[in-house]
Amino acid sequence: MNTLELLPAVDVRDGQAVRLVHGESGSETSYGDPLEAALTWQRAGAEWLHLVDLDAAFGTGDNRAQIAEVARSMDIKVELSGGIRDDASLAAALATGCTRVNIGTAALENPEWVAKIIAEYGDRIAVGLDVRGTTLRGRGWTRDGGDLYETLARLDSEGCARYVVTDINKDGTLQGPNLELLRNVCAATDRPVVASGGVSSLDDLRAIAGLVPEGVEGAIVGKALYAKAFTLEEALEAVSR
Ligand SMILES: O=C(O)c1ccccc1NCC(=O)[C@H](O)[C@H](O)COP(=O)(O)O
């Protein structure tokens, strides 16, 4: 059986590593220098970093230079997210040398462009499916963006390589992942799924790891690591069995 990949998160707002609750602007707790946070996860044995420009996602500016510096400083794989919505922001993201980018709002608002970049960049493009119930949300999770399963079917037909699935109601809450949502998405697609939002304990990670045979490939972990609910070393050990 394949091991669940872990992606510690560094979400950047106004130059700081932060965590939000339900992805809501203004709910942030600050955790200092993003590069230091990223290096900490790398030193702890992470193979992936999930790096988010929250200002770009919310349309409150961007942290592009800092994000690029973090991505370029990593020896591990980087998934870059937040505000990648057009050729210029995609080019800047890919130029950081990141392994892949996560497209959110554009997949809902600009489907033709997303179909084009999926065809052009294949595995370097993941699509973030950020949901409340089965309704997708775009623009930093502030606008409704259609039905989850209709969008998934469209993206599958366009060849999307992978999905990052977030239950917004769980994100940043330490309330545990939405396993039912993950199971349902895995049942609806044969593409790998990266779980995001709500992880609070090693048992949560073990539960997500139990979904690897159904199609879950990885789990993003944010708040639990910053709140020291467990260490990254413990998390890696927990999912390696
Ligand atoms: O990823 C985005 O583009 C994004 C946009 C707007 C708000 C939040 C966004 N991402 C948040 C994350 O990726 C979190 O770091 C991740 O879901 C971890 O959640 P948690 O473990 O619950 O802290």
Side-chain angles (χ1 to χ4, degrees):
M1 193 172 86
N2 290 334
T3 302
L4 183 76
E5 291 174 347
L6 290 186
L7 297 85
V10 174
D11 293 19
V12 185
R13 181 125 217 223
D14 207 11
Q16 295 291 298
V18 300
R19 281 306 299 123
L20 309 180
V21 181
H22 303 312
E24 277 167 19
S25 188
S27 68
E28 50 267 61
T29 308
S30 183
Y31 295 100
D33 179 32
L35 178 57
E36 199 39 57
L39 289 170
T40 300
W41 306 140
Q42 178 171 282
R43 279 193 294 267
E47 293 182 5
W48 276 96
L49 179 72
H50 177 73
L51 183 58
V52 185
D53 188 339
L54 285 175
D55 285 302
F58 287 121
T60 52
D62 67 71
N63 301 277
R64 203 177 269 179
Q66 203 174 5
I67 290 271
E69 188 204 354
V70 175
R72 291 200 181 105
S73 302
M74 293 293 105
D75 299 324
I76 58 177
K77 292 171 272 193
V78 175
E79 174 175 86
L80 207 52
S81 192
I84 302 166
R85 293 176 190 157
D86 54 26
D87 286 333
S89 50
L90 177 64
L94 293 175
T96 65
C98 67
T99 308
R100 66 177 178 240
V101 299
N102 187 35
I103 306 292
T105 302
L108 312 178
E109 295 186 355
N110 198 351
E112 282 166 20
W113 179 71
V114 172
K116 183 188 83 142
I117 64 170
I118 285 171
E120 194 169 345
Y121 295 104
D123 207 29
R124 289 192 82 190
I125 307 290
V127 169
L129 299 171
D130 306 324
V131 295
R132 278 212 157 98
T134 58
T135 302
L136 290 159
R137 304 281 282 177
R139 294 262 160 205
W141 300 352
T142 56
R143 283 198 213 162
D144 279 355
D147 178 70
L148 167 61
Y149 295 103
E150 283 172 18
T151 304
L152 190 58
R154 166 175 57 83
L155 290 161
D156 266 4
S157 73
E158 290 165 355
C160 184
R162 167 178 290 97
Y163 302 102
V164 177
V165 176
T166 305
D167 180 344
I168 296 168
N169 287 334
K170 298 280 194 176
D171 198 79
T173 66
L174 296 173
Q175 284 177 3
N178 185 338
L179 298 173
E180 190 189 353
L181 171 69
L182 295 170
R183 261 191 217 102
N184 290 342
V185 171
C186 286
T189 179
D190 59 0
R191 313 300 150 80
V193 167
V194 177
S196 185
V199 169
S200 69
S201 66
L202 295 177
D203 279 346
D204 286 343
L205 289 175
R206 291 187 191 102
I208 298 174
L211 299 180
V212 167
E214 294 179 44
V216 175
E217 176 186 70
I220 294 169
V221 189
K223 187 111 174 214
L225 289 171
Y226 292 94
K228 302 193 190 322
F230 49 78
T231 65
L232 185 59
E233 290 90 336
E234 288 169 334
L236 291 164
E237 168 74 15
V239 299
S240 72
R241 297 170 187 177

